[in-house]
Amino acid sequence: KSFTTYLNELRLRKADDLLAYTRLPASEIAGRIGYTNANYFYTLYRQYKGVYPSEAKTRAGRAGRPAVHSLKEK
């Protein structure tokens, strides 16, 4: 596995946590995990996960995961 692949997988796992447990928009999550281009993050997320970040956020909400307002509250 290349370093870039490993780094993308690591960032996307963190994105999953932020999507599930915060109310941050996907564009802000992209920046917080190291992507300066939100569109690239959306495309990469869909490539790895099979859904867009907004869909993952909706599914996490339906799973009963409590959302917090910011990372400091987590």
Side-chain angles (χ1 to χ4, degrees):
K1 183 183 300 193
S2 72
F3 175 74
T4 303
T5 301
Y6 171 77
L7 183 58
N8 284 333
E9 290 173 354
L10 184 67
R11 286 175 170 172
L12 294 175
R13 281 196 302 269
K14 182 63 177 176
D16 281 336
D17 288 342
L18 294 173
L19 288 166
Y21 295 109
T22 70
R23 293 186 177 144
L24 297 172
S27 59
E28 187 171 336
I29 290 171
R32 289 188 181 212
I33 62 171
Y35 294 109
T36 56
N37 183 332
N39 288 328
Y40 177 69
F41 166 66
Y42 301 146
T43 301
L44 197 62
Y45 192 93
R46 184 163 189 270
Q47 179 184 348
Y48 277 79
K49 304 289 184 169
V51 295
Y52 287 108
S54 58
E55 295 172 68
K57 188 172 206 47
T58 301
R59 289 179 183 182
R62 280 190 244 151
R65 296 179 179 173
V68 294
H69 293 285
S70 71
L71 296 178
K72 292 179 182 178
E73 295 177 34
K74 185 174 179 188

